[in-house]
Amino acid sequence: MEAIKSTLKYVPTTCPYCGVGCTLNLVVNDGKLVGVEPYKRSPINEGKLCPKGATCWEAVQHPDRLTHPLIKKGDKFEKATWDEAIDLITKKFTEISDKNGARALGFQTSCRTVNEDCYALQKWARVAFQTNNVDNCARICHGPSVAGLSLSFGSGAATNPFEDVLNSDLIVMWGSNAVEAHPLAARRVMQAKKKGTPIIVVDPRYSATARLADTWVRFTPSTHIALANNMMYYIIREGLEDKEFIKERTKGFDDLKMMAEKYADATRIHGVPQETVKDIALQYAKAKNAVIIYCLGITELTTGTDNVRSMGNLALLTGNVGRPGVGVNPLRGQNNVQGACDMGAYPNVYSGYQKCEDAANRARMEKAWGVKDGSLPDWYGSTLTEQINDCGDVIKAMYILGLNPVVTYPDSNHVKRSLGKLDFLVIQDIYWTESCQYADVVLPGTCFAEKDGTFTSGERRVNRVRKAVDGPGESKYDWEIIGMLAKKMGLKGFDWTSAKEVWDDMRACTPSMFGVTYEKMEKPESVHWPCPTEEHPGTPILHCGKFSAADGKGTMFGLEYRPPAEVADAEYPYTMMTGRLIFHYHSRTQTDRCEDLHREVPESYVQINTEDAKELGIRQHEKIKITSRRGETITTARVTDDVAPKVLYMTMHFNEGVNNLTNTALDPMSKMPELKHCAVKVEKVA
Ligand SMILES: Nc1nc2c(c(=O)[nH]1)N[C@H]1C(S)=C(S)[C@@H](COP(=O)(O)OP(=O)(O)OC[C@H]3O[C@@H](n4cnc5c(=O)[nH]c(N)nc54)[C@H](O)[C@@H]3O)O[C@H]1N2
Ligand SMILES: Nc1nc2c(c(=O)[nH]1)N[C@H]1C(S)=C(S)[C@@H](COP(=O)(O)OP(=O)(O)OC[C@H]3O[C@@H](n4cnc5c(=O)[nH]c(N)nc54)[C@H](O)[C@@H]3O)O[C@H]1N2
Ligand code: SF4
Ligand SMILES: [Mo]
């Protein structure tokens, strides 16, 4: 009998969806992806995957992929050659920058694509056009974490690794629905629960994660600061603050104490009975090692940065930072949102958070990048949200690499109007998205399975992404496209021939990541930055012994509660909250192209309380119209007590969905829009 010849190849790589950064094997047969198999040596997920990871290969070879550059001629897009597309883009960007200056261009980079692509885009923007108008999707995600944790601890990143919850004596999950949004991080919480570790979930909604909790605290949406201050009042009143830690390692206690006293009884704001506030406060303060895990329930509000600092306050007050089992951990959202920020795709920093305003940093980068002394800008660039608001006014041309603003940014009608005002828009994606029709040029990049590179997960672990198959048609690596644009402009320092060369270019000018080499990343556990030298083992836990702040101290802040920018009133009597579900990822360009995921949730819906539904005469699964001051959407009602009366919850995954309603009001510190809170009215559709 003839032996069956197997051409199967297993390529270990990192999941392209959430910031947990699970390792998986892509299975390749004859140059085609045929499946995903577990990679059991990964200390992150130990071979387990959630439904998105397990199906991630399916969307890669979908016939809808972009295969050629497209240029808009009249109101139609026509196939173009790479030469034509590169010529046109460099000509237009140069013209517009010559005429209107460096502030007229906007660059926005994906948190879905590899670090190497993000580094390439910000380098091109800064070197070619002397602009700091470069930002990434963290702005509408964990921007407040970067801002808030930097102020509290001196570093904007998560303090402890995911599996470290197994060392905790109490886990607080605040505004995080990790069971659906970070399933393999939630698995660690479930393991801790099995060991008997108590879990407190603070969420206005009875979410999948709330169902895990020993104590679920329902509070009035977006009143975090009042609740945290009220908790700290009890901790201080009972003398449970960590006096030695406060004295040795922090500042700002007096401000905090004075503020907390004003919130001795804040039930009228946050809606939680005082017995419960006192109970969770004392549980947190008395636990030997307590960790706070938080997510977008905290950040996506106009008080985002202060909400994050409130989490910092709680941890500093009780000495819960800087050792195993404690800390404040934002669950970073996208597979590479940590990385996009680390790479300097941010309007005020180069890679490794080196501030652009610092003349010594600029001089060092000018030397590293081989550009004229004094040419790099010192000003704070325009953020992603401000760039959209300024389209047609200050911003004339924009380059969007791997984002889908029409679906995911607040107030879709405003986004469409803004993109329509640009003189020139380039979108580089892997599919034709809802945003592409506003572009002048659409370029085909390659996806995670078709390129080498790295993603940095929410625990600052830099994970390898490995090429398994070729990209479709004439698609190119995203960094390669940026390199072509730069070289067309005659710029030096962009002739990389591999992702590793881009990474080494970055490493050479980034002290905190110099020691993170591709060789080190070959190990299943890879490396956590900071890692300043090649001999350095990496840093899984931050702030041990000393905070990263210049003076080595953690800072507590007295923070006043502020209501959301738009609250329910007689005309718009409902509060709309927004979020995710396990089967879909953002604008669904990938997950909706996986049959099994599509089938689970094929269309949008809204959660509405039983009492409200009764009052409005709305039955289960009936169509309803929801209207805000900015737009409307029609969706299906899911009548449930998981949301409180007068509170609605809709996922963000659907076009012409919840972002038709949301508010563009910004958090003054981080420029985060209020994606999680707006006022709406509800009507039955006849
Ligand atoms: N399946 C899936 N997983 C994902 C993603 C995805 O699209 N799909 N996206 C990834 C990304 S980029 C991110 S950032 C993370 C997000 O991860 P999470 O932040 O955990 O997910 P969300 O569902 O957006 O929001 C979490 C919770 O915030 C609530 N919430 C809590 N407190 C408040 C409040 O005071 N006010 C309001 N209005 N809401 C509150 C909601 O009830 C919701 O349960 O998920 C990542 N993982
Ligand atoms: N109302 C409301 N709105 C929200 C949120 C919310 O909770 N509520 N959450 C916000 C958050 S946290 C986030 S992170 C944003 C997400 O917002 P977006 O980043 O705009 O959402 P995605 O759908 O993930 O878009 C990523 C795009 O990149 C493309 N892509 C994927 N991989 C690659 C690649 O390798 N190369 C290239 N060139 N393209 C690629 C995909 O096809 C897709 O079009 O949405 C925000 N919007
Ligand atoms: S938990 Fe996140 S990283 Fe892990 S398989 Fe699911 S989506 Fe991918
Ligand atoms: Mo996000």
Side-chain angles (χ1 to χ4, degrees):
M1 210 168 79
E2 212 183 320
I4 299 167
K5 247 198 246 144
S6 168
T7 55
L8 285 189
K9 194 171 77 176
Y10 282 54
V11 182
T13 193
T14 304
C15 174
Y17 290 116
C18 88
V20 178
C22 296
T23 320
L24 50 84
N25 275 307
L26 287 173
V27 188
V28 184
N29 188 16
D30 221 5
K32 288 266 171 248
L33 286 180
V34 292
V36 158
E37 282 292 324
Y39 178 89
K40 295 190 176 155
R41 285 165 66 209
S42 162
I44 305 159
N45 56 314
E46 300 171 319
K48 308 276 190 294
L49 293 169
C50 82
K52 292 180 300 304
T55 54
C56 70
W57 68 279
E58 280 184 46
V60 173
Q61 294 161 159
H62 198 280
D64 289 353
R65 286 286 303 274
L66 292 172
T67 54
H68 290 79
L70 300 168
I71 295 179
K72 197 184 228 164
K73 304 241 165 90
D75 50 9
K76 276 221 185 76
F77 283 86
E78 289 178 11
K79 269 190 192 168
T81 64
W82 275 107
D83 276 347
E84 288 167 325
I86 298 289
D87 269 353
L88 179 63
I89 298 169
T90 50
K91 189 174 130 258
K92 280 293 196 175
F93 268 68
T94 310
E95 247 172 49
I96 291 169
S97 130
D98 287 349
K99 184 164 161 232
N100 303 94
R103 292 180 194 259
L105 308 178
F107 296 83
Q108 310 200 343
T109 183
S110 193
C111 297
R112 305 298 311 287
T113 193
V114 292
N115 280 314
E116 289 72 5
D117 298 338
C118 300
Y119 176 77
L121 187 76
Q122 62 86 38
K123 181 176 176 183
W124 178 53
R126 290 186 160 119
V127 168
F129 305 106
Q130 295 79 51
T131 187
N132 281 333
N133 286 357
V134 44
D135 205 2
N136 73 72
C137 170
R139 187 66 53 200
I140 52 174
C141 177
H142 273 292
S145 298
V146 177
L149 292 181
S150 298
L151 290 165
S152 296
F153 301 157
S155 160
T159 59
N160 294 49
F162 305 131
E163 78 229 44
D164 188 52
V165 296
L166 293 169
N167 299 314
S168 304
D169 303 297
L170 175 75
I171 301 171
V172 179
M173 304 189 69
W174 197 317
S176 152
N177 183 16
V179 168
E180 293 196 77
H182 300 91
L184 272 296
R187 172 174 173 256
R188 296 298 187 189
V189 177
M190 292 173 198
Q191 287 172 334
K193 185 181 166 77
K194 256 196 200 146
K195 270 184 23 185
T197 312
I199 296 163
I200 299 174
V201 172
V202 185
D203 197 308
R205 197 170 61 100
Y206 191 49
S207 65
T209 304
R211 287 167 162 82
L212 259 191
D214 299 284
T215 313
W216 165 53
V217 182
R218 166 174 277 167
F219 68 114
T220 307
S222 319
T223 58
H224 308 275
I225 299 172
L227 181 56
N229 282 347
N230 200 166
M231 286 170 68
M232 292 187 284
Y233 162 76
Y234 283 112
I235 294 172
I236 297 168
R237 195 188 77 176
E238 304 289 314
L240 288 170
E241 73 275 20
D242 186 335
K243 296 177 189 70
E244 198 179 311
F245 188 90
I246 292 169
K247 185 161 151 265
E248 297 299 320
R249 299 200 50 191
T250 72
K251 54 186 200 260
F253 174 70
D254 294 336
D255 282 351
L256 176 74
K257 184 169 179 236
M258 243 156 47
M259 186 58 75
E261 271 159 18
K262 286 173 64 180
Y263 290 81
D265 178 355
T267 297
R268 75 199 153 9
I269 304 175
H270 55 62
V272 184
Q274 286 302 302
E275 314 84 81
T276 310
V277 180
K278 185 174 168 193
D279 169 51
I280 58 170
L282 300 196
Q283 278 194 57
Y284 179 69
K286 283 180 181 166
K288 200 159 149 250
N289 295 301
V291 60
I292 298 175
I293 295 171
Y294 74 85
C295 209
L296 301 184
I298 286 279
T299 60
E300 282 185 338
L301 296 164
T302 47
T303 51
T305 306
D306 285 354
N307 297 343
V308 170
R309 288 199 284 173
S310 291
M311 300 299 107
N313 280 345
L314 274 163
L316 290 170
L317 182 68
T318 53
N320 275 311
V321 199
R323 59 177 190 276
V326 300
V328 179
N329 289 329
L331 292 178
R332 297 303 294 257
Q334 309 223 56
N335 50 336
N336 198 37
V337 59
Q338 180 68 53
C341 301
D342 300 346
M343 290 302 105
Y346 228 57
N348 65 327
V349 292
Y350 304 114
S351 49
Y353 305 93
Q354 306 173 78
K355 289 213 163 75
C356 305
E357 66 181 13
D358 182 328
N361 289 341
R362 288 200 304 281
R364 205 156 0 89
M365 293 309 285
E366 282 157 0
K367 198 151 161 252
W369 286 346
V371 299
K372 234 179 46 220
D373 287 351
S375 64
L376 291 178
D378 59 355
W379 40 274
Y380 204 118
S382 174
T383 59
L384 176 143
T385 36
E386 292 168 307
Q387 287 180 23
I388 294 291
N389 295 344
D390 290 345
C391 277
D393 182 13
V394 188
I395 303 284
K396 306 285 186 195
M398 200 180 278
Y399 201 109
I400 298 180
L401 193 166
L403 295 139
N404 193 3
V406 163
V407 185
T408 58
Y409 293 13
D411 191 357
S412 303
N413 291 316
H414 164 70
V415 175
K416 291 175 195 170
R417 281 193 302 271
S418 296
L419 295 181
K421 287 187 209 159
L422 289 169
D423 293 343
F424 194 67
L425 172 63
V426 180
I427 293 187
Q428 180 170 323
D429 208 289
I430 53 176
Y431 294 100
W432 180 265
T433 68
E434 292 82 354
S435 304
C436 287
Q437 58 178 301
Y438 299 89
D440 296 281
V441 181
V442 175
L443 300 176
T446 40
C447 80
F448 77 104
E450 300 153 350
K451 61 190 169 195
D452 284 304
T454 53
F455 293 149
T456 307
S457 77
E459 48 181 1
R460 291 172 288 102
R461 200 195 295 258
V462 189
N463 295 312
R464 266 304 307 275
V465 173
R466 294 185 184 84
K467 177 169 176 169
V469 292
D470 288 329
E474 292 180 15
S475 61
K476 289 191 184 293
Y477 305 132
D478 290 280
W479 57 260
E480 189 183 9
I481 300 171
I482 306 301
M484 285 161 71
L485 291 162
K487 280 185 283 185
K488 178 80 197 176
M489 296 175 70
L491 300 172
K492 296 208 174 58
F494 290 85
D495 31 34
W496 313 295
T497 60
S498 66
K500 180 172 180 295
E501 284 180 24
V502 185
W503 182 258
D504 288 339
D505 180 342
M506 182 284 299
R507 231 165 39 85
C509 58
T510 313
S512 61
M513 261 177 284
F514 181 74
V516 185
T517 60
Y518 265 43
E519 290 73 32
K520 269 193 190 155
M521 287 184 240
E522 284 304 314
K523 291 179 299 180
E525 69 274 23
S526 196
V527 200
H528 300 255
W529 69 261
C531 181
T533 64
E534 290 185 1
E535 296 71 45
H536 195 283
T539 315
I541 300 180
L542 292 181
H543 315 302
C544 295
K546 186 168 162 276
F547 284 94
S548 325
D551 61 1
K553 301 261 183 202
T555 306
M556 287 181 264
F557 298 90
L559 300 167
E560 198 79 78
Y561 161 74
R562 283 177 285 130
E566 185 183 63
V567 292
D569 56 17
E571 199 185 347
Y572 295 95
Y574 289 82
T575 297
M576 175 60 85
M577 312 208 311
T578 73
R580 289 158 170 74
L581 57 95
I582 190 167
F583 299 109
H584 280 303
Y585 196 88
H586 295 161
S587 63
R588 299 177 301 127
T589 64
Q590 289 151 290
T591 49
D592 205 51
R593 289 184 169 95
C594 296
E595 238 175 83
D596 289 335
L597 299 181
H598 168 83
R599 205 178 314 118
E600 288 288 348
V601 186
E603 58 171 28
S604 95
Y605 63 85
V606 62
Q607 293 185 320
I608 180 169
N609 182 269
T610 319
E611 271 174 37
D612 295 332
K614 209 160 149 199
E615 194 185 299
L616 295 164
I618 293 166
R619 284 193 313 250
Q620 194 67 282
H621 304 313
E622 246 179 342
K623 288 277 178 217
I624 55 175
K625 183 164 101 177
I626 307 175
T627 313
S628 79
R629 288 186 175 82
R630 294 153 295 276
E632 59 176 55
T633 184
I634 293 183
T635 185
T636 307
R638 286 216 186 158
V639 181
T640 171
D641 289 333
D642 290 354
V643 288
K646 292 288 179 288
V647 174
L648 308 174
Y649 177 85
M650 223 175 137
T651 75
M652 53 148 320
H653 302 299
F654 293 84
N655 184 33
E656 302 293 348
V658 81
N659 279 330
N660 278 4
L661 312 172
T662 46
N663 191 352
T664 54
L666 298 181
D667 171 21
M669 292 235 252
S670 68
K671 311 296 177 194
M672 162 66 81
E674 200 133 74
L675 287 165
K676 285 239 182 298
H677 194 122
C678 69
V680 298
K681 63 183 173 198
V682 180
E683 291 157 90
K684 222 171 126 91
V685 175

PDB file of all heavy atoms in Angstrom, residues 15-22 24 45 48-54 181-185, ligand 3:
ATOM      1  N   CYS A  15      -2.906  34.851  18.010  1.00  0.00           N
ATOM      2  CA  CYS A  15      -4.289  35.132  17.601  1.00  0.00           C
ATOM      3  C   CYS A  15      -4.437  36.607  17.203  1.00  0.00           C
ATOM      4  O   CYS A  15      -3.907  37.488  17.869  1.00  0.00           O
ATOM      5  CB  CYS A  15      -5.249  34.792  18.743  1.00  0.00           C
ATOM      6  SG  CYS A  15      -6.965  35.260  18.389  1.00  0.00           S
ATOM      7  N   PRO A  16      -5.165  36.888  16.123  1.00  0.00           N
ATOM      8  CA  PRO A  16      -5.275  38.268  15.632  1.00  0.00           C
ATOM      9  C   PRO A  16      -6.371  39.091  16.309  1.00  0.00           C
ATOM     10  O   PRO A  16      -6.619  40.210  15.886  1.00  0.00           O
ATOM     11  CB  PRO A  16      -5.644  38.061  14.164  1.00  0.00           C
ATOM     12  CG  PRO A  16      -6.489  36.828  14.177  1.00  0.00           C
ATOM     13  CD  PRO A  16      -5.856  35.937  15.227  1.00  0.00           C
ATOM     14  N   TYR A  17      -7.051  38.573  17.311  1.00  0.00           N
ATOM     15  CA  TYR A  17      -8.184  39.323  17.849  1.00  0.00           C
ATOM     16  C   TYR A  17      -7.858  40.099  19.128  1.00  0.00           C
ATOM     17  O   TYR A  17      -7.484  41.254  19.044  1.00  0.00           O
ATOM     18  CB  TYR A  17      -9.404  38.413  18.011  1.00  0.00           C
ATOM     19  CG  TYR A  17      -9.990  37.989  16.679  1.00  0.00           C
ATOM     20  CD1 TYR A  17      -9.987  36.662  16.291  1.00  0.00           C
ATOM     21  CD2 TYR A  17     -10.524  38.931  15.810  1.00  0.00           C
ATOM     22  CE1 TYR A  17     -10.522  36.274  15.062  1.00  0.00           C
ATOM     23  CE2 TYR A  17     -11.055  38.558  14.579  1.00  0.00           C
ATOM     24  CZ  TYR A  17     -11.050  37.226  14.207  1.00  0.00           C
ATOM     25  OH  TYR A  17     -11.570  36.855  13.007  1.00  0.00           O
ATOM     26  N   CYS A  18      -7.996  39.514  20.289  1.00  0.00           N
ATOM     27  CA  CYS A  18      -7.941  40.384  21.469  1.00  0.00           C
ATOM     28  C   CYS A  18      -6.562  40.445  22.119  1.00  0.00           C
ATOM     29  O   CYS A  18      -5.657  39.689  21.782  1.00  0.00           O
ATOM     30  CB  CYS A  18      -9.027  40.005  22.478  1.00  0.00           C
ATOM     31  SG  CYS A  18      -8.549  38.743  23.662  1.00  0.00           S
ATOM     32  N   GLY A  19      -6.429  41.348  23.064  1.00  0.00           N
ATOM     33  CA  GLY A  19      -5.156  41.634  23.712  1.00  0.00           C
ATOM     34  C   GLY A  19      -4.633  40.560  24.651  1.00  0.00           C
ATOM     35  O   GLY A  19      -3.589  40.744  25.272  1.00  0.00           O
ATOM     36  N   VAL A  20      -5.332  39.433  24.763  1.00  0.00           N
ATOM     37  CA  VAL A  20      -4.778  38.343  25.574  1.00  0.00           C
ATOM     38  C   VAL A  20      -3.551  37.764  24.877  1.00  0.00           C
ATOM     39  O   VAL A  20      -2.571  37.391  25.523  1.00  0.00           O
ATOM     40  CB  VAL A  20      -5.844  37.245  25.847  1.00  0.00           C
ATOM     41  CG1 VAL A  20      -5.242  36.100  26.644  1.00  0.00           C
ATOM     42  CG2 VAL A  20      -7.032  37.829  26.603  1.00  0.00           C
ATOM     43  N   GLY A  21      -3.600  37.702  23.555  1.00  0.00           N
ATOM     44  CA  GLY A  21      -2.416  37.253  22.813  1.00  0.00           C
ATOM     45  C   GLY A  21      -2.191  35.755  22.859  1.00  0.00           C
ATOM     46  O   GLY A  21      -1.059  35.282  23.020  1.00  0.00           O
ATOM     47  N   CYS A  22      -3.253  34.968  22.704  1.00  0.00           N
ATOM     48  CA  CYS A  22      -3.120  33.507  22.736  1.00  0.00           C
ATOM     49  C   CYS A  22      -2.257  33.015  21.576  1.00  0.00           C
ATOM     50  O   CYS A  22      -2.331  33.542  20.464  1.00  0.00           O
ATOM     51  CB  CYS A  22      -4.492  32.863  22.627  1.00  0.00           C
ATOM     52  SG  CYS A  22      -5.562  33.234  24.016  1.00  0.00           S
ATOM     53  N   LEU A  24      -1.473  30.042  18.860  1.00  0.00           N
ATOM     54  CA  LEU A  24      -2.191  28.958  18.185  1.00  0.00           C
ATOM     55  C   LEU A  24      -1.347  28.495  17.005  1.00  0.00           C
ATOM     56  O   LEU A  24      -0.403  29.167  16.594  1.00  0.00           O
ATOM     57  CB  LEU A  24      -3.577  29.441  17.731  1.00  0.00           C
ATOM     58  CG  LEU A  24      -3.682  30.752  16.934  1.00  0.00           C
ATOM     59  CD1 LEU A  24      -3.443  30.527  15.449  1.00  0.00           C
ATOM     60  CD2 LEU A  24      -5.060  31.356  17.121  1.00  0.00           C
ATOM     61  N   ASN A  45      -2.288  30.603  27.105  1.00  0.00           N
ATOM     62  CA  ASN A  45      -3.585  29.944  26.934  1.00  0.00           C
ATOM     63  C   ASN A  45      -3.504  28.430  26.990  1.00  0.00           C
ATOM     64  O   ASN A  45      -4.537  27.765  26.891  1.00  0.00           O
ATOM     65  CB  ASN A  45      -4.239  30.390  25.619  1.00  0.00           C
ATOM     66  CG  ASN A  45      -3.359  30.145  24.408  1.00  0.00           C
ATOM     67  OD1 ASN A  45      -2.173  30.453  24.414  1.00  0.00           O
ATOM     68  ND2 ASN A  45      -3.925  29.596  23.366  1.00  0.00           N
ATOM     69  N   LYS A  48      -5.727  26.341  24.860  1.00  0.00           N
ATOM     70  CA  LYS A  48      -7.170  26.645  24.781  1.00  0.00           C
ATOM     71  C   LYS A  48      -7.387  27.883  23.900  1.00  0.00           C
ATOM     72  O   LYS A  48      -6.527  28.762  23.839  1.00  0.00           O
ATOM     73  CB  LYS A  48      -7.722  26.956  26.179  1.00  0.00           C
ATOM     74  CG  LYS A  48      -7.399  25.903  27.212  1.00  0.00           C
ATOM     75  CD  LYS A  48      -8.398  24.762  27.152  1.00  0.00           C
ATOM     76  CE  LYS A  48      -8.257  23.797  28.320  1.00  0.00           C
ATOM     77  NZ  LYS A  48      -6.979  23.048  28.318  1.00  0.00           N
ATOM     78  N   LEU A  49      -8.560  27.949  23.258  1.00  0.00           N
ATOM     79  CA  LEU A  49      -8.897  29.120  22.447  1.00  0.00           C
ATOM     80  C   LEU A  49     -10.373  29.448  22.620  1.00  0.00           C
ATOM     81  O   LEU A  49     -11.169  28.568  22.942  1.00  0.00           O
ATOM     82  CB  LEU A  49      -8.639  28.825  20.957  1.00  0.00           C
ATOM     83  CG  LEU A  49      -7.182  28.631  20.530  1.00  0.00           C
ATOM     84  CD1 LEU A  49      -7.133  28.089  19.111  1.00  0.00           C
ATOM     85  CD2 LEU A  49      -6.399  29.932  20.627  1.00  0.00           C
ATOM     86  N   CYS A  50     -10.731  30.705  22.383  1.00  0.00           N
ATOM     87  CA  CYS A  50     -12.149  31.061  22.382  1.00  0.00           C
ATOM     88  C   CYS A  50     -12.679  30.895  20.949  1.00  0.00           C
ATOM     89  O   CYS A  50     -11.913  30.622  20.029  1.00  0.00           O
ATOM     90  CB  CYS A  50     -12.333  32.485  22.918  1.00  0.00           C
ATOM     91  SG  CYS A  50     -12.052  33.770  21.702  1.00  0.00           S
ATOM     92  N   PRO A  51     -13.987  31.046  20.731  1.00  0.00           N
ATOM     93  CA  PRO A  51     -14.534  30.793  19.387  1.00  0.00           C
ATOM     94  C   PRO A  51     -13.891  31.640  18.277  1.00  0.00           C
ATOM     95  O   PRO A  51     -13.812  31.198  17.135  1.00  0.00           O
ATOM     96  CB  PRO A  51     -16.016  31.152  19.529  1.00  0.00           C
ATOM     97  CG  PRO A  51     -16.306  31.140  20.986  1.00  0.00           C
ATOM     98  CD  PRO A  51     -15.034  31.385  21.705  1.00  0.00           C
ATOM     99  N   LYS A  52     -13.432  32.847  18.616  1.00  0.00           N
ATOM    100  CA  LYS A  52     -12.814  33.679  17.569  1.00  0.00           C
ATOM    101  C   LYS A  52     -11.439  33.137  17.189  1.00  0.00           C
ATOM    102  O   LYS A  52     -11.112  33.031  16.009  1.00  0.00           O
ATOM    103  CB  LYS A  52     -12.699  35.139  18.033  1.00  0.00           C
ATOM    104  CG  LYS A  52     -14.038  35.834  18.175  1.00  0.00           C
ATOM    105  CD  LYS A  52     -13.899  37.271  18.626  1.00  0.00           C
ATOM    106  CE  LYS A  52     -13.223  37.424  19.978  1.00  0.00           C
ATOM    107  NZ  LYS A  52     -13.835  36.689  21.092  1.00  0.00           N
ATOM    108  N   GLY A  53     -10.635  32.804  18.178  1.00  0.00           N
ATOM    109  CA  GLY A  53      -9.311  32.257  17.892  1.00  0.00           C
ATOM    110  C   GLY A  53      -9.404  30.981  17.077  1.00  0.00           C
ATOM    111  O   GLY A  53      -8.669  30.773  16.102  1.00  0.00           O
ATOM    112  N   ALA A  54     -10.349  30.130  17.453  1.00  0.00           N
ATOM    113  CA  ALA A  54     -10.469  28.823  16.809  1.00  0.00           C
ATOM    114  C   ALA A  54     -10.896  28.924  15.353  1.00  0.00           C
ATOM    115  O   ALA A  54     -10.650  28.020  14.557  1.00  0.00           O
ATOM    116  CB  ALA A  54     -11.465  27.961  17.589  1.00  0.00           C
ATOM    117  N   ALA A 181     -15.032  39.341  26.364  1.00  0.00           N
ATOM    118  CA  ALA A 181     -14.081  40.181  25.629  1.00  0.00           C
ATOM    119  C   ALA A 181     -12.633  39.684  25.744  1.00  0.00           C
ATOM    120  O   ALA A 181     -11.815  39.942  24.867  1.00  0.00           O
ATOM    121  CB  ALA A 181     -14.180  41.625  26.096  1.00  0.00           C
ATOM    122  N   HIS A 182     -12.304  39.008  26.818  1.00  0.00           N
ATOM    123  CA  HIS A 182     -10.950  38.465  26.997  1.00  0.00           C
ATOM    124  C   HIS A 182     -11.061  37.054  27.593  1.00  0.00           C
ATOM    125  O   HIS A 182     -10.612  36.793  28.707  1.00  0.00           O
ATOM    126  CB  HIS A 182     -10.120  39.347  27.932  1.00  0.00           C
ATOM    127  CG  HIS A 182      -9.958  40.759  27.446  1.00  0.00           C
ATOM    128  ND1 HIS A 182     -10.828  41.772  27.777  1.00  0.00           N
ATOM    129  CD2 HIS A 182      -9.017  41.324  26.645  1.00  0.00           C
ATOM    130  CE1 HIS A 182     -10.438  42.893  27.191  1.00  0.00           C
ATOM    131  NE2 HIS A 182      -9.345  42.657  26.498  1.00  0.00           N
ATOM    132  N   PRO A 183     -11.689  36.150  26.844  1.00  0.00           N
ATOM    133  CA  PRO A 183     -12.059  34.857  27.426  1.00  0.00           C
ATOM    134  C   PRO A 183     -10.898  34.086  28.066  1.00  0.00           C
ATOM    135  O   PRO A 183     -11.079  33.460  29.101  1.00  0.00           O
ATOM    136  CB  PRO A 183     -12.622  34.088  26.235  1.00  0.00           C
ATOM    137  CG  PRO A 183     -13.060  35.123  25.269  1.00  0.00           C
ATOM    138  CD  PRO A 183     -12.148  36.283  25.459  1.00  0.00           C
ATOM    139  N   LEU A 184      -9.707  34.141  27.464  1.00  0.00           N
ATOM    140  CA  LEU A 184      -8.624  33.339  28.022  1.00  0.00           C
ATOM    141  C   LEU A 184      -7.934  34.029  29.203  1.00  0.00           C
ATOM    142  O   LEU A 184      -7.214  33.390  29.964  1.00  0.00           O
ATOM    143  CB  LEU A 184      -7.625  32.927  26.938  1.00  0.00           C
ATOM    144  CG  LEU A 184      -7.979  31.613  26.223  1.00  0.00           C
ATOM    145  CD1 LEU A 184      -7.940  30.433  27.196  1.00  0.00           C
ATOM    146  CD2 LEU A 184      -9.328  31.637  25.529  1.00  0.00           C
ATOM    147  N   ALA A 185      -8.193  35.309  29.394  1.00  0.00           N
ATOM    148  CA  ALA A 185      -7.772  35.961  30.640  1.00  0.00           C
ATOM    149  C   ALA A 185      -8.818  35.630  31.708  1.00  0.00           C
ATOM    150  O   ALA A 185      -8.496  35.351  32.868  1.00  0.00           O
ATOM    151  CB  ALA A 185      -7.645  37.463  30.444  1.00  0.00           C
TER     152      ALA A 185
HETATM  153  S1  SF4 B   3      -9.028  35.050  24.113  1.00  0.00           S
HETATM  154 FE1  SF4 B   3      -8.449  36.648  22.648  1.00  0.00          FE
HETATM  155  S2  SF4 B   3      -6.392  36.071  21.961  1.00  0.00           S
HETATM  156 FE2  SF4 B   3      -7.316  34.263  22.948  1.00  0.00          FE
HETATM  157  S3  SF4 B   3      -8.266  33.096  21.292  1.00  0.00           S
HETATM  158 FE3  SF4 B   3      -9.854  34.446  22.091  1.00  0.00          FE
HETATM  159  S4  SF4 B   3      -9.740  36.330  20.847  1.00  0.00           S
HETATM  160 FE4  SF4 B   3      -7.854  35.162  20.502  1.00  0.00          FE
END
